[in-house]
Short mmCIF file of all heavy atoms in Angstrom, two decimals:
data_model
loop_
_atom_site.label_atom_id
_atom_site.label_comp_id
_atom_site.label_asym_id
_atom_site.label_seq_id
_atom_site.Cartn_x
_atom_site.Cartn_y
_atom_site.Cartn_z
N MET B 139 -11.55 19.81 -25.90
CA MET B 139 -10.12 20.10 -26.05
C MET B 139 -9.52 20.59 -24.73
O MET B 139 -8.44 20.15 -24.33
CB MET B 139 -9.90 21.15 -27.14
CG MET B 139 -10.04 20.61 -28.55
SD MET B 139 -9.73 21.88 -29.78
CE MET B 139 -7.96 21.77 -29.93
N ALA B 140 -10.23 21.50 -24.06
CA ALA B 140 -9.72 22.02 -22.79
C ALA B 140 -9.55 20.88 -21.78
O ALA B 140 -8.55 20.81 -21.06
CB ALA B 140 -10.68 23.08 -22.24
N THR B 141 -10.54 19.98 -21.76
CA THR B 141 -10.48 18.87 -20.80
C THR B 141 -9.35 17.91 -21.15
O THR B 141 -8.63 17.42 -20.28
CB THR B 141 -11.83 18.14 -20.78
OG1 THR B 141 -12.86 19.12 -20.63
CG2 THR B 141 -11.91 17.16 -19.66
N VAL B 142 -9.19 17.64 -22.46
CA VAL B 142 -8.10 16.76 -22.90
C VAL B 142 -6.76 17.37 -22.49
O VAL B 142 -5.87 16.68 -21.97
CB VAL B 142 -8.15 16.55 -24.43
CG1 VAL B 142 -6.88 15.86 -24.92
CG2 VAL B 142 -9.36 15.74 -24.80
N PHE B 143 -6.62 18.68 -22.69
CA PHE B 143 -5.37 19.38 -22.38
C PHE B 143 -4.99 19.16 -20.92
O PHE B 143 -3.88 18.72 -20.62
CB PHE B 143 -5.57 20.88 -22.67
CG PHE B 143 -4.31 21.72 -22.64
CD1 PHE B 143 -4.01 22.57 -23.70
CD2 PHE B 143 -3.44 21.67 -21.57
CE1 PHE B 143 -2.87 23.36 -23.68
CE2 PHE B 143 -2.30 22.45 -21.54
CZ PHE B 143 -2.02 23.29 -22.60
N VAL B 144 -5.92 19.44 -20.00
CA VAL B 144 -5.54 19.40 -18.58
C VAL B 144 -5.26 17.99 -18.09
O VAL B 144 -4.51 17.80 -17.13
CB VAL B 144 -6.59 20.07 -17.67
CG1 VAL B 144 -6.70 21.55 -17.98
CG2 VAL B 144 -7.93 19.40 -17.77
N ALA B 145 -5.87 16.96 -18.73
CA ALA B 145 -5.68 15.60 -18.25
C ALA B 145 -4.66 14.83 -19.10
O ALA B 145 -4.46 13.64 -18.90
CB ALA B 145 -7.02 14.86 -18.24
N LEU B 146 -4.01 15.54 -20.02
CA LEU B 146 -3.15 14.88 -21.01
C LEU B 146 -2.09 13.93 -20.45
O LEU B 146 -1.96 12.80 -20.93
CB LEU B 146 -2.48 15.97 -21.88
CG LEU B 146 -1.70 15.49 -23.09
CD1 LEU B 146 -2.65 15.11 -24.21
CD2 LEU B 146 -0.77 16.58 -23.58
N PRO B 147 -1.29 14.34 -19.43
CA PRO B 147 -0.18 13.47 -19.05
C PRO B 147 -0.58 12.24 -18.22
O PRO B 147 0.25 11.37 -18.01
CB PRO B 147 0.71 14.37 -18.19
CG PRO B 147 0.13 15.73 -18.28
CD PRO B 147 -1.29 15.58 -18.68
N LEU B 148 -1.81 12.18 -17.74
CA LEU B 148 -2.13 11.18 -16.71
C LEU B 148 -1.99 9.74 -17.20
O LEU B 148 -1.41 8.90 -16.52
CB LEU B 148 -3.53 11.43 -16.16
CG LEU B 148 -3.69 12.79 -15.47
CD1 LEU B 148 -5.11 13.03 -15.03
CD2 LEU B 148 -2.75 12.91 -14.29
N VAL B 149 -2.52 9.43 -18.40
CA VAL B 149 -2.38 8.07 -18.93
C VAL B 149 -0.91 7.77 -19.21
O VAL B 149 -0.40 6.70 -18.86
CB VAL B 149 -3.24 7.89 -20.21
CG1 VAL B 149 -2.93 6.57 -20.88
CG2 VAL B 149 -4.71 7.96 -19.86
N ILE B 150 -0.22 8.75 -19.80
CA ILE B 150 1.18 8.54 -20.17
C ILE B 150 2.03 8.22 -18.93
O ILE B 150 2.84 7.30 -18.92
CB ILE B 150 1.74 9.79 -20.88
CG1 ILE B 150 0.85 10.12 -22.09
CG2 ILE B 150 3.18 9.60 -21.31
CD1 ILE B 150 1.17 11.45 -22.74
N ARG B 151 1.80 8.99 -17.85
CA ARG B 151 2.57 8.79 -16.62
C ARG B 151 2.37 7.40 -16.04
O ARG B 151 3.24 6.89 -15.34
CB ARG B 151 2.16 9.81 -15.56
CG ARG B 151 2.41 11.22 -15.94
CD ARG B 151 2.24 12.08 -14.72
NE ARG B 151 3.48 12.09 -13.99
CZ ARG B 151 4.28 13.14 -13.95
NH1 ARG B 151 3.96 14.23 -14.54
NH2 ARG B 151 5.40 13.09 -13.29
N GLU B 152 1.20 6.82 -16.25
CA GLU B 152 0.94 5.48 -15.71
C GLU B 152 1.49 4.39 -16.63
O GLU B 152 1.97 3.36 -16.17
CB GLU B 152 -0.56 5.27 -15.52
CG GLU B 152 -1.19 6.14 -14.45
CD GLU B 152 -0.69 5.82 -13.05
OE1 GLU B 152 -0.38 4.65 -12.78
OE2 GLU B 152 -0.60 6.75 -12.24
N VAL B 153 1.39 4.60 -17.95
CA VAL B 153 1.72 3.53 -18.90
C VAL B 153 3.23 3.43 -19.14
O VAL B 153 3.76 2.31 -19.23
CB VAL B 153 0.96 3.74 -20.23
CG1 VAL B 153 1.41 2.73 -21.27
CG2 VAL B 153 -0.54 3.63 -20.00
N VAL B 154 3.93 4.57 -19.20
CA VAL B 154 5.35 4.54 -19.53
C VAL B 154 6.17 3.66 -18.57
O VAL B 154 6.92 2.79 -19.02
CB VAL B 154 5.93 5.97 -19.64
CG1 VAL B 154 7.44 5.97 -19.56
CG2 VAL B 154 5.48 6.62 -20.94
N PRO B 155 6.04 3.83 -17.23
CA PRO B 155 6.84 2.98 -16.34
C PRO B 155 6.53 1.49 -16.52
O PRO B 155 7.44 0.66 -16.47
CB PRO B 155 6.43 3.44 -14.94
CG PRO B 155 5.74 4.72 -15.10
CD PRO B 155 5.24 4.80 -16.49
N VAL B 156 5.25 1.16 -16.75
CA VAL B 156 4.89 -0.25 -16.93
C VAL B 156 5.53 -0.81 -18.19
O VAL B 156 6.11 -1.90 -18.18
CB VAL B 156 3.35 -0.42 -16.99
CG1 VAL B 156 2.98 -1.88 -17.11
CG2 VAL B 156 2.70 0.20 -15.78
N LEU B 157 5.45 -0.04 -19.27
CA LEU B 157 6.06 -0.48 -20.53
C LEU B 157 7.55 -0.73 -20.37
O LEU B 157 8.10 -1.69 -20.90
CB LEU B 157 5.86 0.59 -21.60
CG LEU B 157 4.64 0.48 -22.50
CD1 LEU B 157 4.63 1.65 -23.47
CD2 LEU B 157 4.66 -0.83 -23.28
N GLU B 158 8.21 0.17 -19.60
CA GLU B 158 9.66 0.00 -19.43
C GLU B 158 9.96 -1.23 -18.59
O GLU B 158 10.94 -1.91 -18.81
CB GLU B 158 10.24 1.25 -18.79
CG GLU B 158 10.23 2.40 -19.78
CD GLU B 158 10.98 3.61 -19.28
OE1 GLU B 158 11.09 3.78 -18.05
OE2 GLU B 158 11.45 4.39 -20.13
N GLU B 159 9.08 -1.49 -17.63
CA GLU B 159 9.32 -2.61 -16.74
C GLU B 159 9.15 -3.96 -17.45
O GLU B 159 9.93 -4.88 -17.23
CB GLU B 159 8.37 -2.53 -15.55
CG GLU B 159 8.93 -3.20 -14.33
CD GLU B 159 8.55 -2.44 -13.08
OE1 GLU B 159 8.70 -1.22 -13.08
OE2 GLU B 159 8.07 -3.10 -12.14
N VAL B 160 8.12 -4.07 -18.31
CA VAL B 160 7.90 -5.37 -18.95
C VAL B 160 8.92 -5.65 -20.04
O VAL B 160 9.12 -6.80 -20.42
CB VAL B 160 6.47 -5.51 -19.53
CG1 VAL B 160 5.44 -5.42 -18.43
CG2 VAL B 160 6.19 -4.49 -20.61
N GLY B 161 9.61 -4.62 -20.54
CA GLY B 161 10.61 -4.86 -21.57
C GLY B 161 9.97 -5.27 -22.88
O GLY B 161 8.75 -5.33 -23.00
N ASP B 162 10.80 -5.56 -23.89
CA ASP B 162 10.19 -5.88 -25.19
C ASP B 162 10.59 -7.27 -25.70
O ASP B 162 10.44 -7.58 -26.87
CB ASP B 162 10.51 -4.80 -26.22
CG ASP B 162 12.00 -4.70 -26.50
OD1 ASP B 162 12.78 -5.30 -25.73
OD2 ASP B 162 12.38 -4.04 -27.48
N GLU B 163 11.11 -8.14 -24.79
CA GLU B 163 11.51 -9.48 -25.24
C GLU B 163 10.33 -10.25 -25.81
O GLU B 163 10.42 -10.88 -26.87
CB GLU B 163 12.13 -10.28 -24.10
CG GLU B 163 13.54 -9.87 -23.71
CD GLU B 163 13.53 -8.74 -22.68
OE1 GLU B 163 12.43 -8.37 -22.24
OE2 GLU B 163 14.62 -8.25 -22.35
N GLN B 164 9.20 -10.19 -25.07
CA GLN B 164 8.03 -10.95 -25.53
C GLN B 164 7.53 -10.44 -26.87
O GLN B 164 7.12 -11.21 -27.72
CB GLN B 164 6.91 -10.84 -24.49
CG GLN B 164 7.24 -11.58 -23.22
CD GLN B 164 5.99 -11.84 -22.41
OE1 GLN B 164 4.89 -11.80 -22.93
NE2 GLN B 164 6.17 -12.12 -21.14
N GLU B 165 7.57 -9.10 -27.02
CA GLU B 165 7.11 -8.53 -28.29
C GLU B 165 8.01 -8.99 -29.42
O GLU B 165 7.54 -9.35 -30.50
CB GLU B 165 7.11 -7.00 -28.21
CG GLU B 165 5.99 -6.46 -27.35
CD GLU B 165 6.19 -5.00 -26.98
OE1 GLU B 165 6.81 -4.26 -27.77
OE2 GLU B 165 5.72 -4.61 -25.91
N GLN B 166 9.34 -8.99 -29.16
CA GLN B 166 10.27 -9.43 -30.19
C GLN B 166 10.02 -10.90 -30.55
O GLN B 166 10.02 -11.27 -31.72
CB GLN B 166 11.71 -9.26 -29.71
CG GLN B 166 12.20 -7.84 -29.85
CD GLN B 166 13.58 -7.65 -29.27
OE1 GLN B 166 14.24 -8.60 -28.86
NE2 GLN B 166 14.02 -6.40 -29.23
N ALA B 167 9.78 -11.70 -29.51
CA ALA B 167 9.51 -13.12 -29.75
C ALA B 167 8.28 -13.27 -30.63
O ALA B 167 8.28 -14.02 -31.60
CB ALA B 167 9.31 -13.84 -28.42
N ALA B 168 7.22 -12.51 -30.28
CA ALA B 168 5.99 -12.60 -31.05
C ALA B 168 6.24 -12.23 -32.50
O ALA B 168 5.78 -12.91 -33.43
CB ALA B 168 4.93 -11.68 -30.45
N ARG B 169 7.03 -11.16 -32.69
CA ARG B 169 7.29 -10.71 -34.05
C ARG B 169 8.10 -11.75 -34.83
O ARG B 169 7.82 -12.03 -35.98
CB ARG B 169 8.02 -9.37 -34.04
CG ARG B 169 7.11 -8.19 -34.27
CD ARG B 169 7.90 -6.95 -34.65
NE ARG B 169 8.96 -6.70 -33.69
CZ ARG B 169 8.78 -6.05 -32.55
NH1 ARG B 169 7.59 -5.56 -32.26
NH2 ARG B 169 9.77 -5.86 -31.72
N SER B 170 9.10 -12.33 -34.14
CA SER B 170 9.94 -13.30 -34.85
C SER B 170 9.16 -14.56 -35.19
O SER B 170 9.51 -15.31 -36.10
CB SER B 170 11.17 -13.65 -34.00
OG SER B 170 10.77 -14.45 -32.93
#
Side-chain angles (χ1 to χ4, degrees):
Chain B
M139 284 181 86
T141 310
V142 170
F143 191 130
V144 296
L146 188 77
L148 298 176
V149 171
I150 305 171
R151 298 192 85 108
E152 293 294 328
V153 174
V154 163
V156 182
L157 267 179
E158 289 189 334
E159 206 143 313
V160 298
D162 63 347
E163 285 87 4
Q164 291 198 20
E165 287 165 29
Q166 280 175 7
R169 261 197 308 276
S170 72

